[in-house]
Amino acid sequence: MLNNLGKYDVVLGSNSPRRRELLNDMGVNFRVEAIKGIDESYPANLPVEEIPVYLARIKAQGHPLQENELLITADTIVVLDDAVLGKPDGEADAHRMLRALSGRDHRVISGVCVTTGDRTEAFSDTSIVRFAELTDEEIDYYIEHYRPLDKAGAYGIQEWIGNIGISGISGDFYNVMGLPTRKLYQVLKTF
């Protein structure tokens, strides 16, 4: 895969430090170019399973491709029952989300779009995450010390809350971090 990607200028269209870290860990040579000014709303009737791919495609459309560029865009959502938990609007909202996730299973769905001048491949991956029961003190500690206000569902699995609060996971751990690396690797091999 890495030799095949050598013919491309690989661009990660994301400001996420987690996505940068994961793509780097995959051994991909890339540069980061954040895509700004994207309206991340989606049609109200869109099934939750399709939202991340829809948003990843919208982000890809926000970057005019140069010759020989391969663009990777992604979006991740947290779904509790059928409700999408986006990024919290503040500490109180983060507390509300983590309280709702406490002691329950939820889905994390990431959508990825890989685009070149003549080809687009988009896919998603879903992981099931189970939180142990969290106390208000644990939730408050996490919010105060880790400031998860830029994360869907108000948590990062790779942070303290993941170490003490995740009692189980089914599916790709890296998908929960924001980039389903196994599936992305399989797609990149085909370019």
Side-chain angles (χ1 to χ4, degrees):
M1 174 209 54
L2 298 177
N3 289 337
N4 193 41
L5 290 181
K7 65 185 175 188
Y8 294 109
D9 175 18
V10 179
V11 177
L12 175 62
S14 174
N15 254 343
S16 166
R18 293 159 300 283
R19 290 189 183 115
R20 284 195 301 257
E21 175 187 346
L22 292 173
L23 196 57
N24 187 59
D25 288 350
M26 289 175 66
V28 176
N29 184 20
F30 67 96
R31 63 184 169 84
V32 174
E33 192 169 313
I35 300 170
K36 298 179 181 177
I38 300 298
D39 177 10
E40 294 192 31
S41 60
Y42 48 86
N45 62 346
L46 191 65
V48 292
E49 294 80 11
E50 296 176 23
I51 293 170
V53 168
Y54 175 87
L55 293 173
R57 285 181 183 272
I58 294 293
K59 291 176 183 180
Q61 293 168 4
H63 175 84
L65 282 174
Q66 304 299 314
E67 188 173 339
N68 294 327
E69 277 188 341
L70 181 144
L71 175 67
I72 301 169
T73 56
D75 197 84
T76 300
I77 62 171
V78 170
V79 181
L80 181 62
D81 300 322
D82 283 325
V84 176
L85 302 181
K87 296 174 184 174
D89 291 330
E91 291 182 10
D93 196 31
H95 188 98
R96 177 193 62 79
M97 288 183 188
L98 291 168
R99 171 60 41 230
L101 293 169
S102 175
R104 307 219 20 229
D105 289 358
H106 64 275
R107 291 179 288 163
V108 177
I109 308 170
S110 291
V112 178
C113 188
V114 180
T115 309
T116 63
D118 59 355
R119 183 173 167 200
T120 298
E121 292 290 332
F123 61 92
S124 67
D125 198 12
T126 300
S127 301
I128 307 296
V129 179
R130 170 170 288 161
F131 262 103
E133 288 287 341
L134 300 171
T135 67
D136 285 335
E137 180 183 23
E138 290 165 336
I139 292 171
D140 291 340
Y141 175 87
Y142 175 63
I143 293 169
E144 179 182 338
H145 289 87
Y146 291 88
R147 309 294 302 159
L149 305 181
D150 64 337
K151 295 171 179 65
Y155 80 93
I157 194 168
Q158 72 282 0
E159 296 174 338
W160 181 82
I161 199 82
N163 292 323
I164 66 99
I166 302 298
S167 61
I169 182 171
S170 175
D172 185 345
F173 173 84
Y174 299 109
N175 180 57
V176 182
M177 284 180 66
L179 196 65
T181 54
R182 183 189 58 79
K183 278 191 171 182
L184 177 58
Y185 176 76
Q186 297 301 321
V187 169
L188 289 175
K189 287 196 313 187
T190 69
F191 276 81

